[in-house]
């Protein structure tokens, strides 16, 4: 990958896609194209690599509905990207997954089929598919290794989404075997950071906590209620670290990619996490202190806890020579600053 390579970010308005764009801009890549879907991205999500209110010169954005095959085909035919970061997906928390299971499986399978097939047709050199740690069995041993995929039943609430993601991995693997493509995949743990979703009905645990503590501080509420016992352990990775690894993986030497991602039946994907987890109770107190909320934290034990522990094994990630650099406390502080500045 060189600085003039044509690089396509599918989902450039999303949390991960915008972080990958920022990382590429920071590394001075000059020829980036991205797609957005329902809402034209606010240029401020690409800061500090642009002037306020303007898109960076190195970035061109197009509105494309990636579920529509003709649109995807025409876009790739016209742009002929060398590299594709595949960060577009129908994403949501438990509630959304429960209410719209058909959308989660149908839209994700359709988007994946369209992008992966067109990337092959138009000769993309390397594609990086974003999966998720929900692909692993609910009862997987901890920490979770890549080879545990398809060794047990999935968490029922997000099974349709997880099945679509597993199909995405298997499509990459099948295209690599049949057509000698370099379609690789990464499985990130829980992500957080700028451009996250802070809507309390659809957000993930960390942005939801930030929002709850912030709102309670603003309104002078005496207590914040967190679902469950606070005992489950979770792992969190800053999205800028994930973006840094995505660009690192895209630029790996061919020999490394062949050995680490394309030696079927060796998995064509790698876990991306920190290797460290903490309890939800510890996280709640960390967020409370960062926000500066002085009331109390109450755990509503009548609400479900979910899986007791979900920690990724990062041996393969470490062997590639990369590690995250943003400590959780600093990452949450920065995310909170971003939230206050943009809300
Ligand atoms: N967030 C996490 O904690 C996390 C953890 C592990 C893995 N991941 C993975 O990372 C990837 C990106 O997630 P994210 O957190 O960045 O989600 P996000 O912020 O919701 O970004 C996803 C982007 O995909 C776009 N998209 C959805 N449907 C589309 C369509 N039909 N046509 C074109 N674009 C479409 C969305 O645009 P609209 O909103 O306009 O539809 C959105 O901008 C996903 O594959 C996800 O599984 C995320």
């Amino acid at each position: 990958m060189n600085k003039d390579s044509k690089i396509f970010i599918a989902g450039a308005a999303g949390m991960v896609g915008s972080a990958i764009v920022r990382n590429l801009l920071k590394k001075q890549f000059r020829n980036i194209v991205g797609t957005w879907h329902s809402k034209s991205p606010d240029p401020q999500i690409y800061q500090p690599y642009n002037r306020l209110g303007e898109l960076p010169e190195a970035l061109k954005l197009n509105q494309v509905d990636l579920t529509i095959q003709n649109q995807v085909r025409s876009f790739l035919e016209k742009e002929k990207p060398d590299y594709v970061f595949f960060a577009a997906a129908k994403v949501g928390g438990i509630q959304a997954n429960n209410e719209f299971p058909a959308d989660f499986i149908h839209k994700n399978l359709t988007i994946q089929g369209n992008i992966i097939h067109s990337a092959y047709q138009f000769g993309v050199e390397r594609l990086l598919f974003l999966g998720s740690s929900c692909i692993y069995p609910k009862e997987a041993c901890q920490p979770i290794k890549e080879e545990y995929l398809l060794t047990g039943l999935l968490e029922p609430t997000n099974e349709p989404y997880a099945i679509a993601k597993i199909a995405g991995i298997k499509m990459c693997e099948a295209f690599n075997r049949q057509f000698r493509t370099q379609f690789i995949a990464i499985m990130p743990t829980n992500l957080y950071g700028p451009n996250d979703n802070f809507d309390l009905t659809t957000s993930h645990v960390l942005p939801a906590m930030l929002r709850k503590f912030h709102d309670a501080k603003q309104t002078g509420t005496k207590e914040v209620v967190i679902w469950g016992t606070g005992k489950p352990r979770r792992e969190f990775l800053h999205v800028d670290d994930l973006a840094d690894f995505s660009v690192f993986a895209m630029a790996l030497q061919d020999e490394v990619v062949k050995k680490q991602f394309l030696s079927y039946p060796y998995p064509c994907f790698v876990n991306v996490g920190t290797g460290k987890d903490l309890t939800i109770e510890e996280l709640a107190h960390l967020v409370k202190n960062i926000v500066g909320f002085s009331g109390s934290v109450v755990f509503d034990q009548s609400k479900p806890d979910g899986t007791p522990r979900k920690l990724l094994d990062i041996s393969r990630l470490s062997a590639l020579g990369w590690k995250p650099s943003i400590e959780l406390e600093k990452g949450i502080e920065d995310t909170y600053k971003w939230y206050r500045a943009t809300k």
Side-chain angles (χ1 to χ4, degrees):
M1 196 162 59
N2 67 56
K3 304 292 178 196
D4 289 311
S5 301
K6 170 74 75 81
I7 302 175
F8 167 36
I9 320 295
M15 174 169 74
V16 171
S18 58
I20 293 175
V21 170
R22 288 195 300 276
N23 192 279
L24 289 166
L25 292 169
K26 179 170 144 193
K27 292 173 179 159
Q28 295 173 344
F29 285 88
R30 291 184 279 264
N31 197 1
I32 309 167
V33 290
T35 54
W36 55 276
H37 177 220
S38 60
K39 197 170 143 250
S40 160
D42 183 338
Q44 74 171 355
I45 64 178
Y46 306 116
Q47 272 187 37
Y49 306 104
N50 56 338
R51 282 190 298 245
L52 262 182
E54 288 177 29
L55 278 184
E57 260 178 39
L59 173 67
K60 305 274 173 294
L61 291 174
N62 293 265
Q63 183 178 23
V64 178
D65 184 343
L66 298 168
T67 59
I68 300 181
Q69 192 182 24
N70 277 344
Q71 291 193 18
V72 177
R73 204 191 134 83
S74 309
F75 179 79
L76 275 123
E77 191 170 21
K78 176 168 156 262
E79 296 293 345
K80 295 198 176 47
D82 303 305
Y83 297 91
V84 175
F85 289 92
F86 189 165
K90 166 105 187 126
V91 177
I94 298 182
Q95 205 175 322
N97 270 272
N98 247 335
E99 274 182 50
F100 309 107
D103 286 351
F104 277 88
I105 192 161
H106 173 238
K107 288 190 196 282
N108 285 315
L109 283 176
T110 309
I111 293 172
Q112 289 164 198
N114 290 341
I115 293 190
I116 293 173
H117 186 244
S118 292
Y120 155 66
Q121 280 185 311
F122 297 109
V124 164
E125 275 183 45
R126 196 172 285 171
L127 173 146
L128 184 115
F129 173 64
L130 262 292
S132 155
S133 57
C134 70
I135 58 160
Y136 290 114
K138 188 179 175 194
E139 312 280 344
C141 293
Q142 306 289 320
I144 309 172
K145 292 180 187 292
E146 287 84 351
E147 50 266 40
Y148 298 167
L149 180 69
L150 294 174
T151 57
L153 294 174
L154 298 164
E155 160 65 42
T157 45
N158 58 16
E159 192 186 61
Y161 177 73
I163 293 277
K165 288 284 177 193
I166 294 170
I169 296 169
K170 291 294 166 189
M171 262 189 95
C172 290
E173 213 165 75
F175 274 70
N176 295 339
R177 287 169 62 204
Q178 189 174 338
F179 302 122
R180 302 275 154 237
T181 47
Q182 292 200 359
F183 294 171
I184 62 178
I186 60 177
M187 297 307 124
T189 185
N190 301 298
L191 303 172
Y192 71 97
N195 206 16
D196 207 341
N197 170 14
F198 291 90
D199 177 335
L200 284 178
T201 54
T202 52
S203 56
H204 294 118
V205 56
L206 202 156
M209 271 188 194
L210 267 174
R211 171 84 191 267
K212 277 188 181 179
F213 283 115
H214 175 80
D215 288 354
K217 183 181 161 188
Q218 296 300 105
T219 56
T221 311
K222 295 276 176 293
E223 61 176 39
V224 163
V225 179
I226 307 287
W227 275 29
T229 61
K231 304 287 177 251
R233 302 186 69 85
R234 294 289 181 268
E235 178 185 14
F236 297 92
L237 177 73
H238 194 285
V239 72
D240 286 346
D241 269 336
L242 188 266
D244 190 67
F245 176 70
S246 304
V247 175
F248 172 93
M250 196 63 112
L252 283 170
Q253 297 295 312
D254 274 4
E255 311 79 74
V256 180
V257 169
K258 282 183 185 147
K259 190 165 165 227
Q260 299 293 339
F261 294 88
L262 306 176
S263 310
Y264 183 78
Y266 198 57
C268 76
F269 59 93
V270 61
N271 289 338
V272 191
T274 61
K276 289 181 257 179
D277 58 3
L278 76 172
T279 64
I280 293 295
E281 184 174 0
E282 287 164 341
L283 179 70
H285 286 285
L286 188 59
V287 175
K288 174 187 157 171
N289 291 338
I290 288 168
V291 171
F293 171 68
S294 52
S296 55
V297 185
V298 175
F299 290 90
D300 179 356
Q301 309 210 4
S302 69
K303 295 288 192 296
D305 262 348
T307 312
R309 193 174 191 203
K310 222 173 143 191
L311 178 66
L312 294 180
D313 182 293
I314 55 163
S315 314
R316 284 190 62 198
L317 177 75
S318 308
L320 287 169
W322 183 91
K323 59 177 192 308
S325 64
I326 305 172
E327 286 300 328
L328 186 59
E329 186 169 354
K330 172 83 171 70
I332 299 175
E333 278 168 10
D334 290 349
T335 306
Y336 184 48
K337 267 189 213 144
W338 183 90
Y339 174 70
R340 278 184 305 166
T342 56
K343 77 180 189 63

